[in-house]
Amino acid sequence: MRLYNTRTHQVDDFKPLTGNEVRMYSCGPTVYNHAHIGNLSSYIYADILRRTLKSNGYQVKHIMNFTDVDDKTIRDSHQKYPNEDPMTALAKFTKHYEKVFLDEMVQVGNNIDDITFVKATDNIADIQKLVCELLNQGVAYVADDGVYFDISKYRQTRVYGQLSHIDFDATDHQRINNDEYDKEHAHDFAIWKQQKDGEPAWDFALPDGTKMPGRPGWHIECSVMSVKNLGQPFDIHTGGIDLIFPHHENEIAQSTAGNQPAEYANFFVHNEHLLVDGVKMSKSAHNFYTLPDLIGRGFDPLDFRMLVIQSHYRSATNFSWSGLEAAKNRRHRWCSIAELRHQVSDNPSDEQTDKVNEYIELATEAMSSDLDTPSALKYFDQAFDLIAPGQTDLTALDSLLSAVDQLLGLNLITSTPDISVDDYRLIDQRQIARQDKDWATSDELRDELRAKGIIIHDGTTPTWSRH
Ligand code: AMP
Ligand code: ZN
């Protein structure tokens, strides 16, 4: 299997560092609102990566975090629950959006049962332990509003900028309290933030015994939760390209400073952005859509999944409604063919089986070649082209549907259940009406079925589709 590694700037052969298990960490959402569909695209690609690793015979241990304490969750939880104490407000508020996120992950076809979710607020003691270690080793210092990572000390033994390949000016350091900051400068960043008025806080004693109640910085939570669950170094770290600097650069620094191992993660796999009118979709630019926006316009979340995987994860994709419509049409064609398994008789064909298996193999190879989803989709298109009402080898169709669902998570099988006995009765009645040339009854029955979302395709033996 081959994968692009941001660390090496090239597509490399991928193998787990030890044994057959791939240890993988994905930066998860900050749970203060609905994720926007750009965020969801990032998690769809991570899901596709995990599926591809599994199709290559690897076991995958996949960890994803919830950032459930930061400036935004604190601000909005207070707004939502002004009369609760800050800690209760934060817990209630973030719990709600964790659930919203998990629901949306499932709706877009991501298999959350294959992911272990961890939360910053469940890992405070371990975060504090790393803060103390960094202080003890002299790569962090105490300031009046928190504890900061000392980049110049780090640079005495390691390279800062090894992931982002930015050649920072060694003298150009300022201290910064924000988690997200400009991309041109190295800043000493907060690993522990002292409590401000009205903020939730955890007790914390610095190594010299001084009390500093507060909360973790953003970067340190990922360092701690990844290494705690996966060991160090682990195999793959994922996220969008906006996380390369400062977030992932800072994770590396925190986890490799002092006497810690020199390597943090072997592969960094970053997805390009979903754009709107050529600009990154983001909450701060107010140019974002959420999954409920798409559903409100009549789209299925899996139409969005199709749109995302039609692009390679390393190409920026411009989101448009017409693009989504095209993705929907492609998915509907596949679903209509999937529905044939309920209604046509088996037409065994070795040729069809062989060709379908060939296309499945080509699609699997494309996925293993740096997750080439656009090519995989084209091979699957060609396999679906082979299947039609009068010429359906049911075993070939079953293999095709299983392969598409396993590799791409499009849920073709569960999206296309059989229609009911009553619906079949209506189809038979309509067929009789047609034979009797009773066009009025035939039209009425067709409309009745259409009202139930079932479309009849006339032929010697009529077939139906729901999509
Ligand atoms: P955040 O909640 O902002 O940390 O983002 C969650 C994930 O979505 C991160 O991996 C980001 O890099 C990724 N992300 C943010 N915006 C976009 C976008 N417009 N397109 C694709 N991925 C994004
Ligand atoms: Zn992270």
Side-chain angles (χ1 to χ4, degrees):
M1 179 169 172
R2 290 173 65 72
L3 263 185
Y4 184 86
N5 187 353
T6 308
R7 281 179 72 200
T8 59
H9 269 207
Q10 62 184 25
V11 176
D12 288 330
D13 283 332
F14 174 80
K15 281 215 165 52
L17 289 164
T18 52
N20 198 47
E21 188 183 58
V22 179
R23 293 164 293 146
M24 168 165 155
Y25 184 85
S26 297
C27 288
T30 305
V31 276
Y32 73 111
N33 210 323
H34 282 266
H36 63 61
I37 56 172
N39 302 139
L40 289 175
S41 75
S42 179
Y43 302 121
I44 290 172
Y45 288 128
D47 180 84
I48 289 284
L49 169 56
R50 195 190 55 248
R51 287 169 188 273
T52 307
L53 290 162
K54 286 175 79 170
S55 83
N56 275 266
Y58 298 123
Q59 290 181 320
V60 185
K61 183 170 186 190
H62 189 185
I63 306 288
M64 188 180 290
N65 73 302
F66 287 124
T67 298
D68 60 347
V69 53
D70 81 320
D71 293 343
K72 290 173 276 198
T73 46
I74 292 174
R75 179 195 66 201
D76 293 358
S77 62
H78 178 66
Q79 243 170 37
K80 173 89 182 160
Y81 302 109
N83 300 321
E84 300 275 9
D85 81 273
M87 198 63 108
T88 313
L90 182 72
K92 265 191 182 171
F93 181 76
T94 53
K95 202 167 177 191
H96 169 74
Y97 282 109
E98 278 164 32
K99 185 171 173 336
V100 168
F101 176 74
L102 291 176
D103 284 349
E104 293 185 349
M105 285 281 276
V106 172
Q107 289 180 61
V108 297
N110 292 339
N111 184 358
I112 60 170
D113 294 338
D114 269 2
I115 306 174
T116 303
F117 291 92
V118 294
K119 302 205 275 192
T121 56
D122 286 340
N123 287 275
I124 300 293
D126 290 287
I127 292 169
Q128 293 177 337
K129 205 168 135 212
L130 181 57
V131 172
C132 286
E133 266 169 39
L134 294 172
L135 279 168
N136 286 335
Q137 292 183 32
V139 274
Y141 58 89
V142 179
D144 51 9
D145 61 350
V147 180
Y148 285 80
F149 188 86
D150 188 334
I151 290 177
S152 58
K153 285 278 168 48
Y154 179 75
R155 289 169 70 133
Q156 290 174 2
T157 54
R158 305 263 198 245
V159 177
Y160 187 76
Q162 52 182 278
L163 179 69
S164 52
H165 307 274
I166 303 173
D167 190 10
F168 294 106
D169 178 349
T171 59
D172 187 18
H173 299 155
Q174 303 168 34
R175 211 154 68 215
I176 189 132
N177 190 270
N178 293 339
D179 289 325
E180 289 164 78
Y181 51 86
D182 76 70
K183 309 258 174 208
E184 275 80 48
H185 300 100
H187 294 282
D188 287 356
F189 53 91
I191 53 179
W192 184 259
K193 297 183 176 191
Q194 186 164 20
Q195 181 181 26
K196 293 195 201 114
D197 271 355
E199 285 190 349
W202 286 262
D203 290 337
F204 180 39
L206 298 172
D208 69 2
T210 315
K211 303 271 189 253
M212 190 188 271
R215 60 182 164 103
W218 172 37
H219 313 299
I220 198 149
E221 61 171 272
C222 286
S223 276
V224 167
M225 289 186 270
S226 57
V227 170
K228 178 177 168 184
N229 290 285
L230 300 173
Q232 183 179 348
F234 56 92
D235 293 293
I236 304 179
H237 197 316
T238 79
I241 49 160
D242 54 309
L243 298 189
I244 297 173
F245 183 83
H247 186 50
H248 290 169
E249 197 71 63
N250 289 347
E251 282 183 42
I252 294 173
Q254 293 160 150
S255 294
T256 59
N259 59 8
Q260 300 179 93
E263 295 286 325
Y264 173 55
N266 192 20
F267 275 65
F268 272 87
V269 177
H270 290 110
N271 63 277
E272 270 286 348
H273 286 143
L274 192 64
L275 311 176
V276 181
D277 299 328
V279 181
K280 179 193 170 199
M281 183 181 291
S282 69
K283 296 240 168 88
S284 53
H286 304 289
N287 63 349
F288 66 91
Y289 297 104
T290 61
L291 204 56
D293 293 333
L294 271 47
I295 294 167
R297 292 236 200 167
F299 290 98
D300 187 301
L302 293 169
D303 297 331
F304 176 64
R305 186 179 184 89
M306 183 63 108
L307 175 82
V308 170
I309 63 179
Q310 284 184 168
S311 285
H312 188 252
Y313 76 100
R314 286 195 290 117
S315 312
T317 312
N318 210 47
F319 175 79
S320 68
W321 294 106
S322 58
L324 187 57
E325 193 68 42
K328 170 180 171 169
N329 291 339
R330 192 180 206 171
R331 192 180 75 85
H332 279 198
R333 186 175 88 89
W334 290 13
C335 283
S336 301
I337 297 168
E339 283 162 338
L340 289 178
R341 74 192 189 282
H342 304 302
Q343 37 185 333
V344 298
S345 47
D346 194 10
N347 258 300
S349 154
D350 287 347
E351 197 194 336
Q352 188 174 114
T353 308
D354 289 350
K355 280 226 164 106
V356 164
N357 285 339
E358 218 171 278
Y359 285 127
I360 293 174
E361 208 165 294
L362 287 167
T364 310
E365 276 168 24
M367 298 294 288
S368 300
S369 169
D370 196 26
L371 311 182
D372 184 359
T373 49
S375 297
L377 290 172
K378 278 191 202 133
Y379 291 128
F380 283 135
D381 269 336
Q382 285 171 274
F384 279 112
D385 282 346
L386 298 169
I387 296 164
Q391 36 186 303
T392 306
D393 178 310
L394 287 174
T395 315
L397 178 57
D398 277 349
S399 310
L400 178 58
L401 299 181
S402 302
V404 171
D405 282 355
Q406 253 174 43
L407 272 177
L408 301 179
L410 281 166
N411 294 348
L412 291 180
I413 295 172
T414 50
S415 310
T416 55
D418 205 351
I419 55 175
S420 70
V421 175
D422 279 351
D423 297 333
Y424 276 115
R425 198 169 298 134
L426 291 176
I427 293 175
D428 289 345
Q429 285 169 6
R430 177 165 179 274
Q431 194 63 357
I432 292 166
R434 276 169 60 80
Q435 278 157 8
D436 295 348
K437 300 202 176 354
D438 177 358
W439 306 122
T441 307
S442 151
D443 285 355
E444 235 170 65
L445 288 163
R446 187 197 54 213
D447 292 347
E448 193 178 338
L449 283 157
R450 181 172 291 157
K452 296 170 123 193
I454 298 164
I455 300 149
I456 302 299
H457 309 281
D458 289 320
T460 350
T461 322
T463 58
W464 56 266
S465 66
R466 265 219 192 82
H467 294 90

